[in-house]
Amino acid sequence: MDWGFVHKTWDKWASSNIGHSGHPLKAAFLINYDPTGPSRLLSTIAEQEGIKANPMELTHFLDFIKRNQLQSETFVIGSNEYLVTSIHENWFSGRCINTSKPAGEGAIVIQTAAYILVALYEGSIGPASRAMAAADQLTWQLGRKNL
């Protein structure tokens, strides 16, 4: 694993995509995750920006992914509960069902060979498209190194 490459790529990507005004994402985190690896290897948060995820929350979220019942369950990140709205081969998206934001909130979850990227955004269709483009950009950059 080329941690230096991951860290440098994340820092550059996060600085131009995560923030408050004018950025497509309000928060994101990157989990190192290998579903084919030994169960004794714990997944950890490799990088995070705009959110402070805790290990217990991470465990519940990864259990949700492993159960692969995306259509029938919700998932929780922080204080927000999300309903999966779109499922694709290596990614899915969800809308927050307990938000107080008038335009809503959403999450995009993309799985690569070694990571799971969780990208959080505020808004509806337009912001969701910009968030997906930003998330896809990072996964493409990591994919150049087969990560």
Side-chain angles (χ1 to χ4, degrees), residues 2-142:
D2 188 348
W3 292 108
F5 173 79
V6 172
H7 184 68
K8 182 179 176 185
T9 302
W10 173 270
D11 283 347
K12 184 176 180 183
W13 175 82
S15 68
S16 61
N17 288 290
I18 302 171
H20 296 286
S21 61
H23 288 102
L25 302 174
K26 71 173 190 171
F29 59 96
L30 190 65
I31 305 167
N32 70 331
Y33 179 73
D34 181 3
T36 63
S39 61
R40 69 182 181 278
L41 294 178
L42 297 175
S43 297
T44 58
I45 297 172
E47 300 284 353
Q48 61 184 328
E49 184 78 30
I51 189 170
K52 189 70 173 164
N54 67 52
M56 194 60 160
E57 180 180 295
L58 177 65
T59 301
H60 292 299
F61 179 70
L62 292 175
D63 288 344
F64 166 79
I65 290 174
K66 288 176 188 174
R67 285 191 304 274
N68 198 25
Q69 298 295 316
L70 304 179
Q71 307 88 335
S72 61
E73 296 182 22
T74 60
F75 63 97
V76 176
I77 298 173
S79 61
N80 290 345
E81 184 176 5
Y82 295 85
L83 176 69
V84 174
T85 56
S86 185
I87 302 170
H88 301 272
E89 187 174 326
N90 66 333
W91 68 275
F92 63 90
S93 62
R95 293 294 291 168
C96 183
I97 59 176
N98 65 331
T99 184
S100 61
K101 309 261 190 238
E105 295 180 78
I108 297 169
V109 180
I110 302 176
Q111 186 170 347
T112 70
Y115 291 100
I116 293 174
L117 171 64
V118 179
L120 306 174
Y121 64 93
E122 291 180 0
S124 191
I125 296 171
S129 295
R130 289 188 294 280
M132 185 64 212
D136 192 47
Q137 178 187 30
L138 178 65
T139 57
W140 179 82
Q141 290 171 346
L142 294 176

